[in-house]
Amino acid sequence: MFITLEGIDRSGKTTQAAMLARELGDGTLLLREPGGTPLGERIREILKDPELEIGAGIELLLFSAARGQLMGDVIVPAIQAGRDVVCDRFVDSSVAYQGAAGGLGVEHVEQFNERVTQGWMPDLTLLLRVDAERAEARGQERLRAGEADGTDRFEGEGIELQRTVAAAYDEIARRHPERIVVIDARGEPEDVHERVWAAVTNRRR
Ligand code: TYD
């Protein structure tokens, strides 16, 4: 199965993606966007560089370049080999961040994404839902713990943007109920993982 995880910053996606990949077992491919290929990792550095000013339209192109490469070089071959693939963020991130928050438009970005992925879509997308305030509090804890330094282009974005992105994700989930399952991401990682695993096993049947 090709499974993607989505959610606002600090919703716990990365932890959940790792736990899910472990539970799915050996041979599962765990990926993150942007990244996962040498080109993708280089594009990730550009996107995170606080010295660069990058508008939403150009951001979409950069994220899409990384995604196109990941799709062609890694995801499609893995799916064809029958492997499970777990990806931390995918097309819905562009719809929420560049389409809704960045003002490019949800439908425009959805159509653009189709060309980038050549029609391939996840079998299941898990939207980890927490409110922006709770995610913000987690971010402050990480800053204090020294796990983040608050200097990359995406870390200083503020709660207003997180609220807009959270609302956009809710809309995206309503638009694609056949693909997207909303997971309550409050609480301990183990509890959230149980909800994630229930959604996955439910889809596998
Ligand atoms: P990252 O450090 O991976 O954040 P997180 O752990 O929250 O996923 O940085 C990814 C950032 O890039 C995040 O703020 C969301 C943003 N993003 C987009 O704006 N559009 C996209 O298409 C993708 C994949 C990510």
Side-chain angles (χ1 to χ4, degrees):
M1 265 215 287
F2 174 26
I3 302 171
T4 59
L5 285 94
E6 297 280 356
I8 61 174
D9 296 353
R10 290 168 288 273
S11 54
K13 291 178 290 61
T14 308
T15 304
Q16 291 304 321
M19 292 173 91
L20 174 58
R22 205 174 313 125
E23 180 112 39
L24 283 167
D26 288 347
T28 302
L29 199 56
L30 174 60
L31 302 169
R32 68 165 179 189
E33 273 215 349
T37 66
L39 177 72
E41 292 296 335
R42 300 265 283 271
I43 292 175
R44 181 182 183 89
E45 284 168 25
I46 294 174
L47 280 161
K48 290 203 146 192
D49 188 341
E51 308 221 323
L52 299 176
E53 265 190 45
I54 310 175
I58 304 300
E59 265 184 1
L60 176 64
L61 295 175
L62 287 167
F63 280 116
S64 298
R67 180 171 301 135
Q69 189 81 10
L70 183 67
M71 206 62 216
D73 284 5
V74 182
I75 297 179
V76 171
I79 295 171
Q80 286 173 337
R83 293 174 73 179
D84 286 325
V85 177
V86 174
C87 195
D88 181 356
R89 296 196 179 280
F90 195 60
V91 287
D92 302 299
S93 286
S94 288
V95 178
Y97 286 81
Q98 283 70 52
L104 298 180
V106 165
E107 281 179 27
H108 169 73
V109 177
E110 282 191 348
Q111 283 165 11
F112 189 83
N113 281 339
E114 269 177 41
R115 277 185 281 162
V116 174
T117 63
Q118 294 163 35
W120 288 86
M121 282 300 271
D123 300 302
L124 175 64
T125 296
L126 303 163
L127 170 57
L128 297 188
R129 194 169 191 285
V130 285
D131 58 44
E133 288 71 17
R134 194 178 293 260
E136 173 88 1
R138 283 185 187 170
Q140 296 299 331
E141 275 167 34
R142 270 202 233 171
L143 277 177
R144 275 196 296 276
E147 291 165 20
D149 57 16
T151 54
D152 84 37
R153 265 185 76 248
F154 293 109
E155 278 176 12
E157 281 171 331
I159 198 153
E160 259 326 300
L161 180 108
Q162 299 305 322
R163 282 202 195 100
T164 308
V165 172
Y169 271 128
D170 287 346
E171 188 198 333
I172 295 165
R174 279 194 296 274
R175 286 169 69 85
H176 303 285
E178 71 298 340
R179 172 172 62 87
I180 303 179
V181 174
V182 180
I183 305 282
D184 178 356
R186 291 173 299 179
E188 294 302 315
E190 289 71 22
D191 298 332
V192 179
H193 173 67
E194 271 185 32
R195 292 174 212 135
V196 163
W197 189 244
V200 170
T201 47
N202 197 24
R203 184 59 57 103
R204 270 174 154 180
R205 268 192 257 122

